Amino acid sequence: MSISVFNRRWAAVLLETLTRHGVQHVCIAPGSRSTSLTLEAAANSKIICHTHFDERGLGHLALGIAKVTQAPVAVIVTSGTAVANLYPALIEAGLTGEKLVLLTADRPPELIDCGANQAIYQQEIFSHHLTQSVSLPRPTPDISAAWLTSTVDRAMGELKQGALHINCPFAEPLYGGETSAYAEWSDTLGDWWQSNKPWLITGAEYTLAKQPDWGNWQQRRGVVVAARMSAAQGRQVAQWAQTLGWPLLGDVLSSSGQPLPCADLWLNNPKAQALLAQAEIVVQFGASLTGKRMLQWQANCQPQEYWLIDNFSGRLDPANHRGRRLVADISAWLQLHPAKQNLPWAPELESIANTAKAYVEKQLADKFGEAQMASRLERLLPEDGIFWAGNSLIVRLIDALGQLPAGYPVYSNRGASGIDGLLSTAAGVQRAVDKPMLAVIGDISALYDLNSLALISQCTAPTVLVVVNNDGGSIFSLLPTPQAERERFYRMPHGVNFKHAAAMFGLNYASPQNWDELQAAVKQCWQQGGILLLELQVAPHDGAQTLSQMVQDAAQF
């Protein structure tokens, strides 16, 4: 029994250390080997505990919370394959910069590789997808509490982005014992227990520096590319570009208001391409562009310099332009590089963009479906709420055909652009922000993460989850997949609807047949509250074919 008590002491020091580095939320899956971590998380008044029965969904729930709080979020799971289920979430965090702390309970070393139950090799299981890793020894009073807390302090101090894996072996017994035992071991930390600072302070923040030649560049012809960033940053970037008179190419995730709407259509236009080719400098804020034409233009543009500003490290430029990779907070960088008032140098782009927007509205006026909804998405957004964008075809339709308000919060998983964990990440985002949420995802994405409807059902504010059901992976209709094999091996039609899924998880359900019904169902949810699963059942190829045709037509504007 003394082993179980000391396990708790060890876990208490570990978790208290994490709180000194901003960990407030801890996501916990059921498990016996992780008992010490779970019970100490529950006992710590500084920690808010979240639970879910599925470790893959749990990791994405933590990811969603981290997106909003911009603070590290911890995850506790038991040993074995439970650990492996965290892989998709930590990969996404590594690509988009959220901080996750993965506390994986483990069997002690003597139970590894000998046939013991639920015992796998967990050290280095996540390979190079991690930012940091710590393999703790089995808890023993022979190791000082100061060693444990300073070891975790060092790892957390160096965690600027991505995931930290702390592997935690615990020997049995895991339950019972005299709770006052081994108090002297943790008491050696003295008044640290009453403070709020780390035992060991490490790491240094980057220093923001002003570009000495900015005064010269801001008088030249420039283009601003707005990629994934926060709502406040999106609004600031839009104002900065407008002051400079530089055209802004805004991604759906930029919260910039996309002042030149439908860019992923008209970037296929030769006139627009010729105008943009005159740019001497391109300044990109954020990473992870969505639209195909935007990505193609970004890859092919040849300005004298290409600057990319984001607080996330790494190159972030798949085209490897000549220029500057500036690691900085976007808001702070803008403040250090104020814009000088200039007239627009390419006003014709506004005319082209407005023509594209008017064309979209006219073509889709009477064509109910995913393309029409994407083009009118702004009308569905809740006041003072948030928008969650799914992956695959639907996010491309919204990017190409829609125009979201400047400064409206948009969240997504566009790092690895996977369809796994979209519902659970959206649930984490909503839980952290505690505002009404409109979420739009595809049918395959919803099926892939179906059990996370349990998390959606716990949303704390009115929530509308739109599932676009085009009976399979219709994004493959945009790709040159072999036509003879496309249906069976790519689209994979499933023939299901989501009415019974909504009932199973206690969600309200609607399946509108026209725009007025869709808008009315969404409005009712915002007014009356609750969680609504709105299934938009559409023909398999309509959205993809509509987008393809519009891209072709835009070239003639």
Side-chain angles (χ1 to χ4, degrees):
M1 292 299 181
S2 62
I3 292 177
S4 65
V5 174
F6 190 75
N7 285 345
R8 289 281 301 270
R9 292 282 180 191
W10 183 274
V13 171
L14 170 55
L15 286 157
E16 180 63 28
T17 301
L18 293 180
T19 68
R20 309 300 173 89
H21 296 272
V23 173
Q24 182 183 17
H25 296 272
V26 178
C27 298
I28 304 171
S32 184
R33 189 63 55 169
S34 51
T35 288
S36 301
L37 294 168
T38 297
L39 295 181
E40 288 304 322
N44 193 314
S45 61
K46 300 176 184 177
I47 290 174
I48 301 170
C49 294
H50 308 267
T51 61
H52 189 40
F53 49 76
D54 167 23
E55 286 87 2
R56 189 184 70 187
L58 186 81
H60 283 97
L61 178 73
L63 179 69
I65 295 171
K67 285 179 182 292
V68 175
T69 62
Q70 297 294 295
V73 175
V75 180
I76 294 174
V77 300
T78 192
S79 62
T81 57
V83 179
N85 277 295
L86 299 177
Y87 227 136
L90 79 92
I91 288 174
E92 182 70 17
L95 293 171
T96 53
E98 293 82 16
K99 299 178 185 178
L100 299 182
V101 182
L102 311 179
L103 304 174
T104 61
D106 197 0
R107 261 59 178 171
E110 64 269 20
L111 295 182
I112 303 300
D113 199 26
C114 65
N117 182 52
Q118 205 172 327
I120 67 172
Y121 188 74
Q122 294 179 191
Q123 297 182 36
E124 302 177 5
I125 188 174
F126 300 124
S127 186
H128 61 275
H129 293 288
L130 288 170
T131 300
Q132 296 280 334
S133 64
V134 174
S135 293
L136 294 176
R138 179 169 60 177
T140 170
D142 294 334
I143 298 174
S144 71
W147 176 88
L148 177 59
T149 188
S150 61
T151 297
V152 177
D153 280 335
R154 178 198 61 79
M156 290 297 295
E158 296 176 0
L159 183 65
K160 307 304 179 188
Q161 59 197 43
L164 163 64
H165 177 208
I166 303 179
N167 197 53
C168 310
F170 291 106
E172 294 183 357
L174 303 170
Y175 306 95
E178 176 54 52
T179 57
S180 61
Y182 295 106
E184 68 279 2
W185 178 82
S186 51
D187 286 347
T188 59
L189 296 176
D191 62 3
W192 174 83
W193 287 102
Q194 287 75 48
S195 74
N196 58 7
K197 295 181 180 179
W199 181 270
L200 179 67
I201 298 175
T202 64
E205 298 294 330
Y206 60 82
T207 301
L208 179 65
K210 182 176 182 179
Q211 300 303 297
D213 52 350
W214 169 238
N216 172 51
W217 281 111
Q218 68 173 316
Q219 300 178 55
R220 314 273 284 271
R221 291 188 299 273
V223 171
V224 175
V225 175
R228 183 184 62 236
M229 65 187 87
S230 72
Q233 291 168 346
R235 191 187 296 274
Q236 292 164 358
V237 166
Q239 182 59 55
W240 187 80
Q242 182 181 29
T243 302
L244 284 169
W246 291 3
L248 183 149
L249 306 180
D251 187 272
V252 63
L253 307 181
S254 68
S255 296
S256 65
Q258 297 153 291
L260 297 174
C262 303
D264 207 52
L265 295 184
W266 57 259
L267 279 173
N268 202 41
N269 184 288
K271 297 176 185 176
Q273 293 172 352
L275 281 167
L276 292 170
Q278 299 176 39
E280 299 167 278
I281 181 173
V282 174
V283 181
Q284 178 178 331
F285 295 94
S288 297
L289 294 169
T290 301
K292 183 177 181 179
R293 266 62 57 186
M294 180 85 86
L295 286 164
Q296 290 172 339
W297 177 84
Q298 192 265 1
N300 294 323
C301 70
Q302 296 180 333
Q304 295 176 30
E305 288 214 16
Y306 197 107
W307 297 7
L308 200 159
I309 299 98
D310 193 87
N311 63 355
F312 186 56
S313 64
R315 284 185 290 175
L316 306 185
D317 175 16
N320 300 303
H321 289 96
R322 180 178 183 178
R324 308 177 195 185
R325 175 68 260 271
L326 306 171
V327 180
D329 175 78
I330 291 172
S331 296
W333 193 93
L334 290 171
Q335 187 173 6
L336 200 59
H337 299 81
K340 179 182 178 181
Q341 187 75 50
N342 287 314
L343 294 174
W345 66 266
E348 300 91 341
L349 287 176
E350 185 175 356
S351 175
I352 294 173
N354 289 338
T355 298
K357 182 68 173 175
Y359 162 78
V360 168
E361 292 174 356
K362 180 180 179 181
Q363 291 296 113
L364 298 177
D366 300 314
K367 191 175 182 180
F368 181 62
E370 54 192 321
Q372 186 189 69
M373 186 197 66
S375 70
R376 299 179 179 183
L377 192 72
E378 181 180 3
R379 306 183 200 180
L380 303 177
L381 295 172
E383 185 178 354
D384 190 29
I386 60 173
F387 173 57
W388 172 263
N391 284 334
S392 209
L393 178 59
I394 187 59
V395 71
R396 288 166 171 82
L397 289 171
I398 297 169
D399 183 66
L401 308 179
Q403 185 178 23
L404 305 184
Y408 199 90
V410 180
Y411 296 93
S412 72
N413 277 353
R414 290 295 296 172
S417 300
I419 63 169
D420 44 355
L422 294 185
L423 292 177
S424 41
T425 311
V429 166
Q430 196 288 318
R431 188 174 297 197
V433 79
D434 195 25
K435 290 184 177 182
M437 176 178 70
L438 174 68
V440 182
I441 69 171
D443 50 345
I444 300 298
S445 300
L447 289 171
Y448 204 95
D449 200 24
L450 196 65
N451 60 10
S452 290
L453 286 176
L455 295 173
I456 294 292
S457 72
Q458 300 168 18
C459 284
T460 54
T463 297
V464 175
L465 170 64
V466 179
V467 178
V468 179
N469 188 350
N470 49 29
D471 195 26
S474 290
I475 190 171
F476 293 107
S477 299
L478 291 175
L479 304 174
T481 50
Q483 189 169 359
E485 291 81 17
R486 182 176 296 157
E487 293 297 298
R488 181 183 179 189
F489 294 107
Y490 293 91
R491 267 203 357 98
M492 296 187 184
H494 48 73
V496 305
N497 65 60
F498 290 83
K499 183 176 182 178
H500 294 292
M504 179 179 179
F505 291 97
L507 310 179
N508 298 320
Y509 176 82
S511 181
Q513 301 303 305
N514 56 59
W515 171 256
D516 289 339
E517 290 182 7
L518 189 157
Q519 193 170 25
V522 172
K523 183 178 180 180
Q524 183 179 28
C525 184
W526 301 148
Q527 292 175 342
Q528 299 182 5
I531 317 299
L532 172 66
L533 192 161
L534 190 152
E535 183 174 12
L536 186 64
Q537 293 181 303
V538 297
H541 304 287
D542 274 4
Q545 291 174 349
T546 297
L547 180 58
S548 296
Q549 185 61 52
M550 287 185 167
V551 169
Q552 294 178 30
D553 293 347
Q556 309 304 319
F557 291 162

